[in-house]
């Protein structure tokens, strides 16, 4: 069975989209193929993002920062962008969302924790709504 794909995109693919990928894999990895990418990838996952995700029991230390050209160039079930506006290239998808989540880069660890918690909340809502859409055709 082919799993639907979900892609999370931010500018650097070092924090927000990496956190989203981590939560999505932990919560829905058996049902979806999960990817993250950046419009201008930083090349590394931010150590503070790794640290705060580990606090929630999710290890993203093996993730790598990549561009949108380095993920499958296929139609996604859902593409979620985070704060990159026009810098996020359009990738074909059934659903496209833009989450206004601040970039914690350069901020203290508490900012990373706040972003992590916001991303976790959004991920849970996203997959709950996708399940409702699959069952009823309405969110």
């Amino acid at each position: 069975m082919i799993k639907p794909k979900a892609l999370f995109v931010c500018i650097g693919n070092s924090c927000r989209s990496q956190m989203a990928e981590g939560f999505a894999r932990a919560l829905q990895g058996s049902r979806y193929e999960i990817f993250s990418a950046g419009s201008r990838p930083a090349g590394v996952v931010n150590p503070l993002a790794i640290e705060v995700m580990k606090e929630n029991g999710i290890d993203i230390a093996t993730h790598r920062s990549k561009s949108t050209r380095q993920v499958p160039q296929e139609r996604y079930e859902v593409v979620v962008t985070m704060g990159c506006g026009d810098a996020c290239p359009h990738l074909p998808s059934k659903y496209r969302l833009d989450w206004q989540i601040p970039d914690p880069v350069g901020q203290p660890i508490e900012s990373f924790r706040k972003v992590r918690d916001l991303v976790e909340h959004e991920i849970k809502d996203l997959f709950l709504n996708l399940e409702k859409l699959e069952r009823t055709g309405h969110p």
Side-chain angles (χ1 to χ4, degrees), residues 3-93:
K3 293 193 242 183
K5 293 175 177 57
L7 173 64
F8 301 94
V9 183
C10 67
I11 294 172
N13 190 226
S14 68
C15 297
R16 296 167 292 180
S17 57
Q18 291 289 348
M19 290 178 187
E21 179 183 354
F23 280 121
R25 284 181 185 271
L27 297 169
Q28 295 290 331
S30 64
R31 296 189 62 223
Y32 285 82
E33 281 189 77
I34 310 293
F35 301 92
S36 71
S39 56
R40 292 190 307 269
V44 296
V45 178
N46 190 293
L48 291 178
I50 293 169
E51 184 177 337
V52 300
M53 288 298 287
K54 197 172 284 187
E55 292 172 357
N56 278 35
I58 297 174
D59 186 2
I60 62 170
T62 60
H63 288 199
R64 61 183 183 81
S65 176
K66 57 208 159 300
S67 79
T68 55
R69 293 179 306 279
Q70 293 174 291
V71 296
Q73 300 297 301
E74 302 171 15
R75 181 176 167 89
Y76 287 85
E77 179 76 6
V78 62
V79 172
V80 176
T81 58
M82 291 175 249
C84 50
D86 292 339
C88 284
H90 179 76
L91 292 158
S93 62

Side-chain angles (χ1 to χ4, degrees), residues 35 43 100 113 137:
F35 301 92
Q100 295 300 309
R113 287 183 181 115

Side-chain angles (χ1 to χ4, degrees), residues 6-8 16-17 19-25 27-28 56 78-83 96-102 113-131:
L7 173 64
F8 301 94
R16 296 167 292 180
S17 57
M19 290 178 187
E21 179 183 354
F23 280 121
R25 284 181 185 271
L27 297 169
Q28 295 290 331
N56 278 35
V78 62
V79 172
V80 176
T81 58
M82 291 175 249
R96 185 175 174 93
L97 303 166
D98 184 52
W99 294 343
Q100 295 300 309
I101 296 177
R113 287 183 181 115
K114 287 177 184 175
V115 167
R116 175 204 59 205
D117 294 346
L118 181 56
V119 168
E120 180 180 26
H121 172 78
E122 292 291 344
I123 288 289
K124 288 178 178 177
D125 277 357
L126 169 66
F127 286 106
L128 180 64
N129 286 326
L130 287 174
E131 287 175 19

